[in-house]
Amino acid sequence: MRFAVLGPLRISAPAGAVQLNALQERLLGMLLLAEERPVPVDVIAGELWGGTLTPAADERITSLVDGLRRALPGDGTAAFTRSGTSHRLAVRPGETDIGAVRRDVQDALVHVRFGEDEPAAALFDAALARWRGRPLSGLTGPYIDAEAARLLEFKAEIAEARFGAMLRLGRHDTLIREAREAVRDRPLDQDAVRRLMAALAAAGRDSDAKQAYEELEARLAARAERPAPELRDLLGRIASGEPPPPAPGPHPPGPHQLHPAVPDFTGRTAALRRLDRSRVRRASGVVVSGPAGIGKTALGLAWAHRRHADFPDGQLFADLRGTTRPADPLTVLHGFMRDLGFPAAAIPDDPAQAAADFRAYAAGRRLLVFLDDARDADQVLPLLPGTGGAFTIVTARNPMERVEARSDIDALELDGMDTAEAEALLLRRIGTAPSPAATASLAPLIARCGGLPLALSIAADLLGDPAPTGRHRAAGRTGLQTVLDESFQRLGAPQRRLYLTLAPLPGPGVPAHLALALARRAGDDPQRLLADLVDSRWLLHADDRYEAHALVADYAADLAARELPAADRDLVRDRIIAHYHRRDAPTADYEFLTAAYEAWWEHPNASRLASVLCAYAQRGHRPAELARLGERAAAATADLGPVERARHCNLVVVAAYAAGDPATAADFGRRTLALLDRTPGGDRIGTARANLGGALARLGRHREALPVLEAAVAAARAGGAWDGVVTASLSLADTHKGLGDFAAAEAVLLAARAVDRDRSRGLRATLISTHLDDLRPHSAREGAAP
């Protein structure tokens, strides 16, 4: 589902048109224009009915939001939340036209920063092409008009940045033609005249630039007006031969990665003040420590969202998974640097250099870095930004003295909520007004939860029967475990079955499309089952994935081990592997797939995931990391059969080659080939030989590569793998070229072109022609030799 606001409101859904009434359409437009910022209910009331907020209006707004939630397809694209007295709409990345524009502009500004105006101009053009008119044209009101004006200013900034890039590229004729058309349509538009003057001057047509100014001056004189000071200054610069000032552009939008704050966050006043004091005294951050379920992440996010305006250069968020599968600091750094706009070529693979580059970029910028669920100081220290404006929040089970000592970071050890805070949280969650009777009825439940906000949140679902039943209690079980037991038993059987399937899965979260596929086997209404688990707090749904809080996940893993038969767990694993083996895995699923691969690689069938991961390496996604992962898998699976071990080794070959490490690729290429030669099918279509030969050729070991690649071409021909014939032939031609046999290289390429034309309808023709063009100078010299 896609939303378009840069013109009349449009909703594109696979199932067809979405029917909304006028009020729903206006409310949806407001929430989309806010770009995931909360919109207060009093602002909504004023926009919809032109009056002040009343209890009836608030109730009606809630009803409208519920109606929107039902009217829009439940595919996870849009998530409505209420935070305090505001409503917010979160839309999956890439599903709004304004989001796509901001992404294009951010990428373009990175190119501008590195002097790459050609791709920058193309991206600015793509961004401007998405506009279909005034934002939400056809709808009006104080809020919509103000937000539309803000976006139109942004559009003007994009146009100006594009003008600057085109000017630097010397595309004067295009700019002159566009500016003349704009002046013809809007004769009094001084910005259009300014661009026309600048383009004419850059083309060496100073007299025409002066004439454009004088014509504007005459038109304005008829209205008793004068050209703006900027135009008079530009005329003076042109007359004196000075270059015009650079065209301004949009401010680079920083990444905004914070997870949504807990909607009903309550209490923690003292802890929030401690964070405020650390910020005021210019500490570089705070380590918030405490046991699982104590509310560390909720506290940090609540503070971060309240102080959002303090960090206009962006907010970075990383789940370090310290208590499950610790994230590699270099991988996290690479993600930060990509999100901050670093070109791929400027991101180093050396951990120390990457950390230094990140500190240098962040120094002096007002940037928030949120490092959630950290394992230890060694994981955190490389991720700390430079000093001078940046602020870091670290959450961890244990204090981190090394981090605090080296980084001027304060320590905040979080305790359980006191009784008053726990009462306020429960009363707010269940919507009950404070009273002595209500408070007294909550006391047993509060005592059982031990002050843990997570337990209190789950316990709110039990308030229909707050007294302990004793039915699921066991000797030695904690109060939290009792609460979880009772809450779990209140779920329906399909919901329990689905939860035991999803929660123990490896990785930082289960991709939504996979969760839906697994839910289809748990009940007749998979979307409803997932929504039930989210509504009851057993699952969180964010960033197009489902995940459980670490504390609940630990409980679920233990429960699944006891209640889900091993055969069922194996069946889930095999279904997931089959799910990915049948399709191209999206980039967003990378973290889940690598976690699943690492957790399951000792099972023979899981070796198929190595083939899935090869596709990531081939398109340049974290190849060095994948090569290391494949090496560990190959070392850990020595007892598997040769086919399975060959798949793990082949991942190293493909990833190491993509990472620029042909020596490792050649080493594991020989291992892959040796393993396959022990199987009945062998290297049937020559893929392993082509990979090995390509690595050897890249190392300059052409004489070793030659027979390997000749065998690869022959195997691909015999197996009917025509694309493999072309791929291996390209490497074989390069090998002949490296040996100085240009005639043989040309013969190989001509044969490949014939195969491509006859069997593949010329899909690789351009690539083959490029190789032939590279050979022509050598062939000419060879033919001219005496």
Side-chain angles (χ1 to χ4, degrees), residues 400-409:
M400 294 188 175
E401 291 84 358
R402 284 174 54 207
V403 174
E404 297 151 18
R406 290 181 56 181
S407 310
D408 187 32
I409 288 184

Side-chain angles (χ1 to χ4, degrees), residues 107-425:
D107 292 343
L109 291 171
V110 172
H111 286 297
V112 169
R113 190 186 314 151
F114 287 86
E116 300 164 354
D117 286 312
E118 182 83 33
L123 285 165
F124 286 135
D125 279 333
L128 291 169
R130 298 182 188 275
W131 293 74
R132 298 172 289 112
R134 171 194 176 273
L136 288 192
S137 58
L139 299 177
T140 188
Y143 183 88
I144 290 175
D145 291 345
E147 290 299 310
R150 176 180 62 84
L151 289 175
L152 287 172
E153 289 176 3
F154 181 51
K155 180 186 181 184
E157 293 174 352
I158 299 170
E160 200 64 40
R162 182 239 185 207
F163 178 82
M166 296 280 282
L167 205 61
R168 291 188 295 273
L169 289 168
R171 296 177 181 171
H172 308 132
D173 292 343
T174 299
L175 293 176
I176 291 169
R177 184 184 69 255
E178 291 174 350
R180 287 199 186 281
E181 290 172 357
V183 172
R184 184 180 64 247
D185 294 339
R186 304 182 300 279
L188 299 178
D189 185 340
Q190 299 197 44
D191 277 335
V193 175
R194 176 181 53 78
R195 287 194 290 270
L196 176 59
M197 291 171 62
L200 287 167
R205 297 166 58 181
D206 292 358
S207 59
D208 289 340
K210 182 181 178 183
Q211 181 181 349
Y213 177 88
E214 291 171 347
E215 290 172 353
L216 172 67
E217 189 176 44
R219 290 192 295 272
L220 291 173
R223 300 164 56 94
E225 296 175 9
R226 296 185 62 198
E230 292 82 2
L231 269 76
R232 299 199 297 269
D233 176 69
L234 177 58
L235 182 66
R237 285 174 173 268
I238 293 172
S240 62
E242 294 180 30
H251 180 74
H256 304 290
Q257 300 177 342
L258 290 177
H259 288 199
V262 175
D264 48 11
F265 183 83
T266 303
R268 298 299 195 189
T269 304
L272 289 168
R273 286 175 179 165
R274 285 278 307 277
L275 287 164
D276 281 336
R277 285 200 297 271
S278 295
R279 178 65 178 158
V280 169
R281 79 171 191 82
R282 297 187 181 279
S284 57
V286 176
V287 174
V288 183
S289 60
I294 205 71
K296 303 180 293 293
T297 303
L299 170 70
L301 287 172
W303 183 87
H305 281 282
R306 293 179 188 189
R307 300 295 296 266
H308 180 273
D310 288 358
F311 306 103
D313 293 318
Q315 305 90 41
L316 299 167
F317 185 96
D319 180 2
L320 299 185
R321 307 191 303 272
T323 54
T324 53
R325 180 175 175 260
D328 173 33
L330 180 61
T331 300
V332 176
L333 275 173
H334 281 182
F336 282 173
M337 296 169 86
R338 283 192 299 270
D339 293 331
L340 289 168
F342 282 67
I347 300 178
D349 286 326
D350 177 66
Q353 187 60 54
D357 289 353
F358 173 61
R359 287 194 303 272
Y361 177 84
R365 284 181 165 83
R366 289 179 292 172
L367 191 71
L368 177 66
V369 179
F370 200 122
L371 305 175
D372 193 36
D373 190 20
R375 176 187 57 188
D376 53 28
D378 290 335
Q379 190 185 33
V380 168
L381 288 170
L383 305 176
L384 298 178
T387 57
F391 192 79
T392 304
I393 297 175
V394 182
T395 69
R397 296 277 179 95
N398 301 306
M400 294 188 175
E401 291 84 358
R402 284 174 54 207
V403 174
E404 297 151 18
R406 290 181 56 181
S407 310
D408 187 32
I409 288 184
D410 290 341
L412 172 57
E413 292 191 47
L414 203 58
D415 297 321
M417 300 183 96
D418 60 31
T419 301
E421 289 179 326
E423 289 172 356
L425 175 60

Side-chain angles (χ1 to χ4, degrees), residues 583-651:
R583 68 192 67 208
D584 292 332
T587 302
D589 290 12
Y590 175 84
E591 296 290 349
F592 173 80
L593 278 169
T594 50
Y597 179 59
E598 188 170 4
W600 299 336
W601 58 36
E602 293 184 3
H603 297 274
N605 196 31
S607 65
R608 295 180 181 277
L609 289 180
S611 302
V612 177
L613 294 174
C614 281
Y616 285 107
Q618 287 167 334
R619 60 180 185 250
H621 187 76
R622 303 190 191 180
E625 178 185 318
L626 285 168
R628 293 192 294 269
L629 191 64
E631 288 188 60
R632 299 209 320 272
T637 55
D639 295 334
L640 294 182
V643 171
E644 290 77 19
R645 291 165 60 197
R647 288 176 181 148
H648 295 306
C649 288
N650 186 60
L651 173 60

Side-chain angles (χ1 to χ4, degrees), residues 78-96:
F80 296 88
T81 58
R82 175 157 183 169
S83 178
T85 59
S86 299
H87 287 276
R88 175 178 176 272
L89 172 60
V91 180
R92 195 161 55 195
E95 300 296 333
T96 66

